Amino acid sequence: GIRATPPHRSRKITFYEDNVLIGPAPYSAPAAYYVPHLNRIESVEIFKGLSSVFWSPNNIGGSIHYTTPHFSNTNQVTSLWQMGSFQTNRIQLRKEKCNQTTHSLVTAEYFHTKGFKTIDFNPNQSTGFDKIDFLLKHKWRLDFWPSEIQIKLGYHNEISHETYLGLTIDDFKHSPWRRYLASLNDTMMYNHWLAQIGFLYLTSNRWQHDIRLYHHQLHRNWLRFNNFSNGVNLPSAYEVLKNPTGFNEPFFNLLRGDSDSVDLGNIFLARANNNRYFLSQGVQNIITSPLYELWDQQFKLKILARLHQDQIERRHTFTDFEVNNKNLLPIRQYNGVQNQDQSFARSLAAEIEHLYKNFAFFYSLRTDHVSYRSMSLTNQNLNTRNEQVIIPGIGILWNFHSNAAIFGSI
C-alpha cells in the first residue's frame, strides 16, 4: 500500500510493469494483493496526485510502476549464489546477447528457505518458501522503418508455508517464532504467467507509438486455518487468542493440539481453500509527441488508449480437520464462495506538458467506460452494471529560484 490510502490492500492503487497493467484483475478485483518478484525489478516509481490521473484505474491512492531490467547492449552472462541460515539458498542467472538487429535478455532465479518458525509437534515442517522466477525479453530492430518489435515472457511459481493464525500475548512473549498445530497445513500456492508483444516506432514527424498486446494469468490458492466448525455458538480464532481462558480455553487447547476434537464433542478445525483464477488481457497504445515550440512556449503531449478485459473466478472450498493425537485428519470438504466477476474497459487519457519561461503547466484528462458482469457459479444468477468516469487534473510548477520551486495541483 501507499501512505494515506484505504487499508483494504490495493483497492485504490494501480500496478504497472513496463507501462502495462500488471495487477491480477485491476477492474474486477482491484484489492487482490500482488507484487512482482522484486529480485528481477530494476526500479520502482510512485505516481501520486496529478501525475496518477493518466494511469487508470482505481488510482485515488496513486499508481506504482515497476521496471524490469533494461537491455545493456553487451554480451554477458552473470550468476549469483547466496546461502544463509535456515537452509536459505538463492541462485540467480542472467544472460544477455545482442547484435545489430536483435537483443535478448533472460533472467532465472530459484529462492528457497526452510523458514525460522517452528510448528508445535512438527519441528521439521517447513515454514519458509520456494520461489521460481523466469523472464525473457527479446527485441528486433527493423531496418526499413525506425521501429522495433518486442516480446516479453514471464513465469513465477511460489509455494509459501505461511498463515494468518497468530499467538496469544503470553506465548508471543515467551516464544515469538512458535506456530500452533492448527496452522500445520497452511500453504500459499501461486502461479503467474505473462506474455506480451510490443511494437515501438517513430513516425516521420517523430511521434512515438508504443503498442502492446498483453495476456496475463494468475492462479492462487491459499490453504489456511479459518475457523472452528461442526458446532453452534463457536468463538472466532481472534476471540480465543485475545482471551484464551474460561469458555475459550478448550478451543485454545484445540488450536495448540493439546486437546483432541473428540474432547470437545467433535469440534473441527476448518481450513479455507481460497482457490482463485485471474485473467488480465488487452491492447494499448501510448503515443508521445516531440517537444513543439509555439509563441515562445513549448508543448508536449502524451496519449493512452486501451481496450482491456479481466476476470476473477473464485472456487472457494472448506476442509474440516479432526485433531487426533497431535495430528490433523481431513474429515470432509464443502463449498464456499463460487462466483465469477468480469470487466470490460475502454480507457482514453491525455497529458499535456506546457512550458513558459520559469513556469510549467500540466493538464491531464482521463475517461474510463467499464462494463461489469458478476455471475454465481452455483445458481447461474447474473448481474451487470456499467460505469463511466471522467477525471480531469491541472497543475503548475513555478521555478522562482535556481534551487527552489513551488508546485500545486488539483
Side-chain angles (χ1 to χ4, degrees):
I2 299 179
R3 187 182 63 179
T5 58
H8 203 278
R9 300 195 292 264
S10 58
R11 183 182 293 276
K12 298 301 180 182
I13 303 171
T14 305
F15 294 94
Y16 281 82
E17 183 179 288
D18 295 335
N19 288 334
V20 174
L21 283 169
I22 196 63
Y27 288 86
S28 301
Y33 36 81
Y34 172 79
V35 174
H37 188 55
L38 292 180
N39 287 340
R40 65 170 170 87
I41 296 300
E42 186 173 81
S43 64
V44 180
E45 292 182 283
I46 309 295
F47 293 82
K48 293 275 288 183
L50 175 67
S51 62
S52 68
V53 171
F54 186 81
W55 306 100
S56 62
N58 300 307
N59 57 356
I60 291 176
S63 60
I64 302 177
H65 289 236
Y66 300 94
T67 303
T68 57
H70 288 90
F71 296 106
S72 64
N73 298 318
T74 59
N75 293 314
Q76 62 176 340
V77 178
T78 60
S79 62
L80 174 69
W81 184 16
Q82 295 177 319
M83 300 178 64
S85 54
F86 305 107
Q87 301 179 22
T88 299
N89 277 278
R90 178 188 171 204
I91 301 173
Q92 189 176 53
L93 301 174
R94 172 173 171 156
K95 181 178 181 179
E96 193 167 357
K97 186 176 182 180
C98 65
N99 55 40
Q100 293 183 345
T101 58
T102 64
H103 203 146
S104 296
L105 171 65
V106 178
T107 66
E109 180 176 356
Y110 172 70
F111 197 0
H112 163 83
T113 183
K114 185 179 182 295
F116 54 86
K117 294 185 178 181
T118 303
I119 301 177
D120 290 350
F121 314 113
N122 292 269
N124 296 320
Q125 176 71 25
S126 174
T127 58
F129 56 78
D130 290 270
K131 298 181 181 181
I132 297 173
D133 188 81
F134 172 82
L135 176 68
L136 166 66
K137 297 173 70 173
H138 189 90
K139 67 179 181 180
W140 295 267
R141 295 186 183 92
L142 304 180
D143 295 333
F144 61 88
W145 207 358
S147 60
E148 64 185 35
I149 297 175
Q150 304 173 351
I151 288 180
K152 178 182 174 184
L153 302 174
Y155 173 71
H156 183 79
N157 170 267
E158 178 178 337
I159 300 178
S160 301
H161 304 281
E162 193 47 87
T163 181
Y164 270 158
L165 184 62
L167 301 171
T168 65
I169 292 296
D170 288 341
D171 284 340
F172 180 78
K173 291 178 180 179
H174 181 261
S175 180
W177 311 134
R178 174 186 182 182
R179 276 176 47 176
Y180 298 143
L181 179 69
S183 69
L184 175 64
N185 297 316
D186 289 10
T187 305
M188 165 79 83
M189 294 181 291
Y190 179 105
N191 286 281
H192 185 258
W193 297 266
L194 176 154
Q196 296 177 11
I197 299 176
F199 183 48
L200 181 69
Y201 73 98
L202 285 173
T203 62
S204 57
N205 55 1
R206 302 198 61 78
W207 283 66
Q208 177 181 280
H209 291 253
D210 185 358
I211 302 172
R212 303 287 181 95
L213 181 68
Y214 58 93
H215 178 90
H216 308 152
Q217 292 187 42
L218 186 149
H219 172 226
R220 184 180 72 221
N221 191 6
W222 194 348
L223 315 174
R224 56 178 177 82
F225 167 75
N226 193 73
N227 58 275
F228 300 100
S229 68
N230 200 40
V232 295
N233 298 323
L234 301 177
S236 67
Y238 171 78
E239 293 170 337
V240 171
L241 295 180
K242 183 179 180 181
N243 181 19
T245 60
F247 174 78
N248 294 334
E249 184 175 3
F251 298 94
F252 179 52
N253 292 332
L254 191 67
L255 282 180
R256 299 197 301 181
D258 294 335
S259 296
D260 290 342
S261 292
V262 68
D263 298 331
L264 278 74
N266 286 329
I267 298 298
F268 302 136
L269 303 178
R271 184 187 70 185
N273 311 314
N274 289 345
N275 198 21
R276 301 181 183 182
Y277 298 85
F278 299 87
L279 169 68
S280 176
Q281 60 187 3
V283 59
Q284 70 177 34
N285 187 10
I286 298 179
I287 306 170
T288 307
S289 77
L291 192 64
Y292 286 103
E293 292 194 15
L294 181 65
W295 302 317
D296 297 325
Q297 303 175 62
Q298 295 178 315
F299 298 87
K300 189 173 184 179
L301 173 66
K302 183 164 67 173
I303 298 172
L304 167 64
R306 179 172 57 229
L307 297 176
H308 176 87
Q309 184 243 333
D310 63 47
Q311 74 176 41
I312 174 175
E313 188 171 302
R314 301 175 181 88
R315 294 190 174 273
H316 296 185
T317 61
F318 290 90
T319 303
D320 282 349
F321 284 85
E322 176 189 0
V323 181
N324 188 327
N325 194 25
K326 318 301 183 186
N327 295 305
L328 299 184
L329 306 179
I331 298 299
R332 61 186 179 188
Q333 182 169 305
Y334 46 96
N335 287 337
V337 175
Q338 304 274 314
N339 64 15
Q340 182 189 78
D341 293 336
Q342 288 185 333
S343 299
F344 303 88
R346 302 191 302 271
S347 301
L348 183 64
E351 186 176 77
I352 298 175
E353 183 179 352
H354 173 197
L355 306 177
Y356 178 65
K357 295 184 178 179
N358 57 341
F359 289 92
F361 304 91
F362 305 92
Y363 318 101
S364 294
L365 182 67
R366 188 183 87 231
T367 177
D368 284 301
H369 184 276
V370 189
S371 298
Y372 297 97
R373 179 179 181 271
S374 182
M375 183 179 67
S376 169
L377 299 178
T378 54
N379 56 24
Q380 306 302 309
N381 283 345
L382 179 65
N383 294 302
T384 60
R385 61 185 176 92
N386 297 305
E387 285 184 0
Q388 182 164 5
V389 297
I390 299 176
I391 302 176
I394 186 171
I396 181 172
L397 177 70
W398 177 29
N399 293 292
F400 64 90
H401 189 271
S402 58
N403 296 318
I406 296 176
F407 176 76
S409 66
I410 56 174

